[in-house]
Amino acid sequence: MYKLIDGKGLASKIRLELKAECDKIRNKGITPKLAVILVGDDSASKVYVKNKSKACEEIGIEFEEIILDDSTTMEKLLSIIDELNKRTDINGILLQSPIPKHLNIQEAFERIDYRKDVDGFNPINMGKLMTGQNTFISCTPYGIIKMLEAYNIMLEGANAVIIGRSNIVGKPLLQCLLNKNATVTICHSKTKNLEEITKTADILISAVGKINMVTENMVKEGAVVIDVGINRNDQGKLVGDVDFEKVKEKASFITPVPGGVGPMTIAMLMNNVIKACKIQNNL
Ligand code: NAP
């Protein structure tokens, strides 16, 4: 019998703890503040930014949104990042992805001061993660690790298989799991015999963005299944990458979509903003 991993419930609990921590900081006359840059008109991004703004409000973190149109130049984007880097009232800076194709997102991530890089995408923070140093860990991988730990899922020595090697999910997650002493395999679109590899997983994580990417034949009996994917099905309903109804019968633990990884990502962002504020104010 499988257990559902309640990311939403766990994220609410973490947010309450963060609110208490934020109250303490505010009592010292300091208000943690997050700046979010949104470039272009992507409707999903607007929803994500709104959710982040709501979470900030609930916790007591100030939120500033910088909205730029599709035609924004790289020069303009970098100058806005420079300004935010300089401002002492801003503790965390987040550039919402995707951004329009004519802009270089990697260059923009690199420009965000690594001390304010609450998304953990600056190569300095990525490198710190790789070398096992204290850093801002990317919110989705961080949230996944927190979920696995909250459910006492053994990471040390576990065979973990990740499908998806993006810079924002797959690669930092590989490193997070490795830092926890799991044995990690990462798969992608050029991987051969995917099913053979996924069937060896004690912990299987899908971060692809394709409906039914993970079917029951790909999953070992008793595996922990984490679904990062966010997709819309033909009925317009939000679904993950995993064929949930069938896969759940084989899994020991499984995350739902919605209500799994998504809320944890936002909670970890809030965690990183509070952490940045504390470091910057020597608290
Ligand atoms: P991405 O940059 O598009 O990367 C997708 C990855 O999947 C790539 O590494 C790609 O391989 C791999 N892939 C594609 N088709 C495959 C196949 N048939 N077999 C094996 N691997 C395949 O996506 P992302 O930004 O990491 O996001 C992935 C999904 O997670 C999306 O649905 C996104 O919306 C969701 N997401 C959710 C959260 C959350 O908080 N819940 C956060 C971030 C992202 P190649 O590298 O070879 O192209």
Side-chain angles (χ1 to χ4, degrees):
M1 181 64 186
Y2 71 93
K3 263 197 183 154
L4 199 66
I5 298 182
D6 178 14
K8 194 174 171 197
L10 182 60
S12 302
K13 201 171 141 238
I14 293 170
R15 276 152 71 155
L16 270 181
E17 290 164 6
L18 289 170
K19 183 174 176 359
E21 213 168 328
C22 190
D23 287 347
K24 277 193 214 154
I25 297 172
R26 291 182 71 130
N27 285 342
K28 291 182 178 11
I30 298 161
T31 307
K33 185 164 184 175
L34 171 68
V36 172
I37 307 170
L38 179 66
V39 193
D41 211 26
D42 184 75
S43 54
S45 292
K46 284 183 185 164
V47 175
Y48 296 146
V49 171
K50 199 166 170 218
N51 290 340
K52 287 165 189 172
S53 143
K54 268 201 246 163
C56 282
E57 193 183 338
E58 181 193 305
I59 290 170
I61 295 171
E62 260 185 47
F63 182 85
E64 184 170 323
E65 189 176 354
I66 296 107
I67 301 171
L68 304 173
D69 65 38
D70 269 327
S71 62
T72 303
T73 62
M74 195 64 205
E75 203 184 3
K76 173 81 181 159
L77 176 60
L78 292 179
S79 78
I80 283 171
I81 293 173
D82 287 342
E83 270 172 41
L84 295 172
N85 282 341
K86 274 192 228 136
R87 276 176 54 186
T88 52
D89 62 322
I90 303 268
N91 305 111
I93 304 170
L94 181 151
L95 173 62
Q96 184 65 45
S97 67
I99 59 176
K101 292 228 169 349
H102 68 277
L103 300 171
N104 181 340
I105 196 155
Q106 208 48 48
E107 193 184 347
F109 285 150
E110 282 189 43
R111 193 67 161 247
I112 294 173
D113 186 326
Y114 75 97
R115 289 160 296 199
K116 295 187 176 185
D117 171 36
V118 285
D119 246 348
F121 296 154
N122 182 304
I124 294 179
N125 287 326
M126 290 268 199
K128 283 183 174 220
L129 179 65
M130 188 165 262
T131 48
Q133 297 177 65
N134 183 19
T135 183
F136 294 111
I137 303 174
S138 316
C139 305
T140 302
Y142 195 15
I144 292 171
I145 297 292
K146 286 277 176 205
M147 265 193 321
L148 294 169
E149 288 181 339
Y151 280 80
N152 294 318
I153 292 161
M154 176 68 95
L155 298 176
E156 185 162 318
N159 277 335
V161 175
I162 305 166
I163 319 177
R165 58 172 164 181
S166 71
N167 289 338
I168 64 167
V169 186
K171 284 182 199 159
L173 181 58
L174 161 84
Q175 200 53 58
C176 288
L177 288 164
L178 202 55
N179 290 353
K180 296 286 178 185
N181 295 324
T183 302
V184 195
T185 307
I186 192 156
C187 304
H188 44 80
S189 67
K190 307 290 184 291
T191 298
K192 289 182 185 149
N193 305 322
L194 184 64
E195 182 183 327
E196 261 174 47
I197 300 169
T198 58
K199 269 168 136 173
T200 66
D202 302 315
I203 303 170
L204 177 61
I205 300 142
S206 184
V208 174
K210 278 194 185 150
I211 295 178
N212 289 341
M213 179 69 222
V214 176
T215 47
E216 60 182 322
N217 54 307
M218 297 168 73
V219 179
K220 181 169 85 173
E221 199 72 48
V224 175
V225 181
I226 306 290
D227 193 348
V228 184
I230 300 176
N231 310 291
R232 291 243 172 233
N233 70 10
D234 292 340
Q235 289 81 52
K237 201 177 147 222
L238 213 60
V239 294
D241 287 353
V242 175
D243 183 359
F244 183 83
E245 287 307 320
K246 291 194 176 133
V247 169
K248 73 179 190 201
E249 301 305 336
K250 285 183 104 175
S252 55
F253 290 89
I254 188 165
T255 58
V257 177
V261 175
M264 286 301 289
T265 299
I266 297 191
M268 290 305 106
L269 172 66
M270 300 298 113
N271 176 80
N272 285 351
V273 176
I274 297 284
K275 175 175 170 165
C277 178
K278 283 167 78 176
I279 295 172
Q280 286 158 33
N281 290 284
N282 297 314
L283 297 176

